[in-house]
Amino acid sequence: KENTKKQYEGKTNFLREYLEKEFEDSVTEEGEINIPIEENVLVQFFGFIMASAHARDKLKSPDDIPEGEADPWSVSQISGYKSAIVSLYTAQELKLGEKIDTKLKGMIEGYEKVIISLKKRGLMKIGEGKKPLPFEGFALLAKKLATARPDRASGWSSRVFMWSYFTLVISQSLPAC
């Protein structure tokens, strides 16, 4: 909960900076975001944070990516902005309108398709949510599973997982023949 609050705060700060530059009437003199935010302003903000993916989508090959250019934001990062905005509305005891909610959902779904296409074409790393578990993490997990007293239902599944992951870790750490 505390981590989510910090993430929302960071996203809200980024939104505020954007609004101060592009739509200064959307922020009070005290630096507070005026809620509700106009629909066209939210659409333009989401277009702004999605722009790098759409620009990358126009490239033909991974060789066309400028050196050092960061990957576009993940779908979860973009969705997090919508959640942070909903949180801002909730704090003011307001709801995001159904029309804009539907519009943003559609934009995020379209963005997800672009990200999938970029990953398939090698124009973006596949890394989101797919980081390998380091050996130290596996060792800790294996110790917990080996010393836990499993109930009847999870006994086999935990041991099958442990064995499968162990063989995967070992096979990845051995030199290629």
Side-chain angles (χ1 to χ4, degrees):
K1 186 92 178 167
E2 192 63 34
N3 189 32
T4 302
K5 189 176 180 180
K6 284 182 183 180
Q7 287 179 2
Y8 285 177
E9 189 177 307
K11 290 179 185 322
T12 301
N13 288 338
F14 185 82
L15 171 62
R16 181 181 301 109
E17 289 172 16
Y18 172 82
L19 294 175
E20 286 173 341
K21 289 179 189 168
E22 302 295 329
F23 299 96
E24 56 192 39
D25 292 346
S26 296
V27 181
T28 67
E29 288 182 18
E30 296 79 30
E32 297 296 319
I33 298 172
N34 286 322
I35 305 294
I37 304 169
E38 292 179 33
E39 181 180 326
N40 71 313
V41 172
L42 283 175
V43 168
Q44 287 185 50
F45 172 71
F46 276 85
F48 171 73
I49 62 177
M50 295 175 176
S52 65
H54 292 290
R56 176 113 15 130
D57 194 37
K58 294 176 182 168
L59 301 178
K60 301 289 182 214
S61 95
D63 296 334
D64 297 336
I65 300 170
E67 189 172 330
E69 182 179 283
D71 270 348
W73 288 355
S74 68
V75 176
S76 61
Q77 286 174 299
I78 299 294
S79 295
Y81 276 93
K82 181 173 178 270
S83 298
I85 291 166
V86 168
S87 179
L88 283 175
Y89 275 67
T90 303
Q92 302 265 335
E93 297 182 1
L94 293 171
K95 281 190 163 190
L96 194 61
E98 192 174 320
K99 182 180 174 190
I100 187 62
D101 185 51
T102 302
K103 176 82 171 172
L104 295 178
K105 279 182 187 175
M107 289 179 76
I108 293 169
E109 287 170 5
Y111 185 79
E112 184 173 20
K113 290 176 184 174
V114 170
I115 295 300
I116 290 168
S117 171
L118 291 174
K119 289 178 180 182
K120 282 182 179 176
R121 294 170 26 226
L123 294 170
M124 185 174 171
K125 293 182 201 118
I126 299 178
E128 182 187 7
K130 295 177 175 55
K131 303 290 183 214
L133 180 64
F135 186 78
E136 294 78 18
F138 171 75
L140 177 67
L141 182 59
K143 182 179 178 183
K144 291 284 185 188
L145 287 172
T147 59
R149 291 183 48 99
D151 60 24
R152 194 174 198 141
S154 66
W156 278 101
S157 60
S158 63
R159 279 165 176 68
V160 168
F161 168 79
M162 189 168 61
W163 178 251
S164 300
Y165 201 81
F166 175 75
T167 56
L168 178 66
V169 168
I170 295 302
S171 68
Q172 295 295 317
S173 62
L174 295 175
C177 297

